[in-house]
Amino acid sequence: MALLSYRDKHILSAQQLRKLSEHKYSCFSASLLDPLLQPWWNWLVAQTPLWLAPNLITIVGLILNVVTTLILICYSPNGVEAPPRWTCLLCALGLFIYQSLDSIDGKQARRTNTSSPLGELFDHGCDSISTVFVALSACISCQLGHYPNWLFFQCFCAIALFYCAHWQTYVSGTMRFGRIDVTEAQFSIIAIHLVSAALGPEIWLTKLPYFNCESRFLPIYVACGVDLILALRYTKCILTEGCGKNGSSVAGTSVLSPSIPLTLVVLPALMIAQKSPQNIFTEHASVYILAFGMVAAKVTNKLVIAHMTKAEMEYLDWSLLGPSLLFLNQYFNCIVPEIWLLWFTLIWGTQDLLRYCAQVCLEICQHLRIDLFRIPYSPKGAATHPATASVSSQSNFGSSGSSADKNGGSAHRKSKSKPH
């Protein structure tokens, strides 16, 4: 049945695969923390065996991040109960490992001369999933479940802003990182987990002197400020920096067209949460965030593919089946228990995302004649000294420039070339 099997037809057309082969990664970064972390990343990649595939490094980091977050969720599924301190410490460690491995996968690709557009796509795909778990873990660590509206806002802001980061890339052709961006956000969340681990999650319930509010509102307000700055920056880029004909996107389409898939995820999520007669979000916050997060990850991956293949993005997607059923169920006065449909949304969305990503990776591997998780040959031209190679070698598809990027390649000034 075509609905249940991606293998009945190719996801990527021959033209998209050709455009993908021609794709050149372009980015600009002015991150405050990246230059400080370069010595650590360079040392770490120097310890990495040359036979270890870059994508394998990425997926191992993602798995550790997801597993540590799921452990935290098990102890506080709604973000109301105080999780054990060791679960917060575990989350901090998992996120730090993920961030470190995510930063060296591109360096490893250049050390082994295995850089390819697939590495960029795989990196962004893992990030789209990680964003959901990282945002949720931070909210649970602060016990934000006591304020369901804030929990919803913070999680969906993170999901939407990650989508918007790739939206502006789809429009301008260049991924941009500001002074306060993904690396700074990740280390801020690590700090939140470490505070919860050291002082106990209850520390976020204490009142701040002179402010007459709980201490957990301090990171909330800071996050809101950063969210606003990022949103304004993305909006300006999307509206004014289209690189296509007449200011259009890289595919020649309207710069506003990617707003449709995002709206089809966020708006139903908000309406279902607010109008649920069974308080589906309040009672099952983690399941709700993960369910809609997987749907958002799927549409984000499709946006990344549209950018890399310079193709028009499809608006409708089968991952929206779960949210549609939840919406229709409420319209007909919940003839099916909402929790059943919520679990269906999570399971359906997760399998749809994984099968889609697996099929796309398979098609690209076949087209480029490469393997996803292994290096089937001795690296050509690998430098004798790994540490030197990690810094000096250049990306096969980075932009020209004189500054070393985050992963050791060469791109725009202070570039953060995470993908490989």
Side-chain angles (χ1 to χ4, degrees):
M1 185 176 178
L3 172 62
L4 300 177
S5 177
Y6 285 117
R7 293 182 180 272
D8 287 351
K9 63 177 182 178
H10 289 291
I11 296 175
L12 303 178
S13 66
Q15 181 180 3
Q16 284 181 298
L17 290 171
R18 179 175 59 82
K19 290 287 187 180
L20 185 74
S21 301
E22 301 169 354
H23 173 71
K24 303 293 183 182
Y25 181 63
S26 174
C27 73
F28 173 86
S29 175
S31 171
L32 296 174
L33 288 182
D34 281 5
L36 301 178
L37 293 168
Q38 280 290 347
W40 158 244
W41 294 331
N42 288 333
W43 177 87
L44 185 60
V45 76
Q47 313 308 311
T48 307
L50 287 171
W51 51 263
L52 193 60
N55 291 330
L56 187 58
I57 295 175
T58 310
I59 197 68
V60 167
L62 176 64
I63 291 173
L64 287 174
N65 186 24
V66 169
V67 169
T68 53
T69 302
L70 289 177
I71 293 173
L72 180 72
I73 291 173
C74 288
Y75 284 92
S76 182
N78 298 325
V80 175
E81 303 86 357
R85 294 188 181 189
W86 64 268
T87 60
C88 299
L89 180 62
L90 204 60
C91 265
L93 180 62
L95 179 53
F96 177 74
I97 293 175
Y98 172 74
Q99 199 281 331
S100 297
L101 296 182
D102 189 43
S103 299
I104 69 167
D105 51 9
K107 293 178 182 290
Q108 178 72 353
R110 282 179 280 276
R111 289 176 74 211
T112 56
N113 282 338
T114 54
S115 297
S116 73
L118 176 61
E120 177 183 348
L121 176 61
F122 194 83
D123 186 281
H124 292 324
C126 290
D127 288 342
S128 68
I129 298 173
S130 173
T131 298
V132 180
F133 285 88
V134 169
L136 180 58
S137 71
C139 292
I140 292 176
S141 191
C142 293
Q143 299 180 65
L144 210 55
H146 290 104
Y147 302 93
N149 289 337
W150 275 116
L151 173 61
F152 183 96
F153 178 80
Q154 291 297 337
C155 287
F156 276 91
C157 261
I159 293 170
L161 286 173
F162 183 82
Y163 181 92
C164 289
H166 290 282
W167 181 358
Q168 63 92 24
T169 307
Y170 180 68
V171 169
S172 68
T174 299
M175 176 158 280
R176 305 166 190 270
F177 299 92
R179 292 187 177 277
I180 306 296
D181 218 292
V182 59
T183 304
E184 290 73 20
Q186 289 172 332
F187 275 89
S188 297
I189 292 174
I190 290 174
I192 289 174
H193 288 311
L194 290 178
V195 169
S196 296
L199 304 177
E202 298 81 6
I203 188 66
W204 301 108
L205 306 181
T206 58
K207 292 280 187 178
L208 287 173
Y210 308 111
F211 290 97
N212 194 31
C213 68
E214 295 172 345
S215 57
R216 59 181 148 192
F217 281 96
L218 180 60
I220 289 176
Y221 293 149
V222 171
C224 287
V226 174
D227 291 345
L228 179 60
I229 293 173
L230 291 175
L232 292 174
R233 194 177 78 205
Y234 293 148
T235 301
K236 178 183 177 182
C237 178
I238 291 168
L239 295 179
T240 64
E241 299 185 22
C243 65
K245 186 178 180 181
N246 297 324
S248 60
S249 70
V250 295
T253 59
S254 168
V255 297
L256 299 179
S257 59
S259 64
I260 298 175
L262 179 63
T263 302
L264 291 176
V265 175
V266 176
L267 187 59
L270 177 61
M271 295 176 64
I272 293 167
Q274 294 296 321
K275 295 184 177 296
S276 171
Q278 300 171 15
N279 295 320
I280 188 69
F281 177 72
T282 304
E283 298 297 326
H284 308 280
S286 292
V287 179
Y288 195 93
I289 294 296
L290 293 178
F292 280 89
M294 293 304 99
V295 178
K298 172 72 178 298
V299 298
T300 302
N301 275 275
K302 296 184 74 171
L303 176 60
V304 174
I305 292 174
H307 160 238
M308 296 181 66
T309 60
K310 293 181 171 58
E312 184 176 1
M313 187 182 179
E314 297 178 357
Y315 300 148
L316 299 179
D317 188 81
W318 278 111
S319 63
L320 296 171
L321 175 63
S324 300
L325 291 177
L326 279 167
F327 183 84
L328 290 174
N329 189 53
Q330 284 190 359
Y331 181 80
F332 291 106
N333 297 319
C334 296
I335 56 177
V336 178
E338 286 188 300
I339 186 59
W340 293 7
L341 291 179
L342 182 61
W343 275 105
F344 170 80
T345 302
L346 175 58
I347 295 170
W348 173 266
T350 301
Q351 65 84 29
D352 184 61
L353 170 65
L354 295 179
R355 287 169 56 245
Y356 175 83
C357 292
Q359 179 66 17
V360 167
C361 288
L362 178 63
E363 291 180 16
I364 296 175
C365 284
Q366 290 176 342
H367 177 72
L368 299 178
R369 298 181 181 180
I370 58 177
D371 293 315
L372 183 61
F373 291 127
R374 69 185 182 95
I375 302 174
Y377 55 85
S378 300
K380 299 177 182 178
T384 304
H385 194 288
T388 304
S390 68
V391 177
S392 62
S393 57
Q394 292 190 355
S395 169
N396 290 350
F397 52 94
S399 303
S400 61
S402 59
S403 300
D405 65 20
K406 178 176 178 180
N407 288 331
S410 180
H412 295 306
R413 182 180 65 86
K414 293 183 180 178
S415 177
K416 177 180 181 178
S417 181
K418 290 176 61 178
H420 46 278

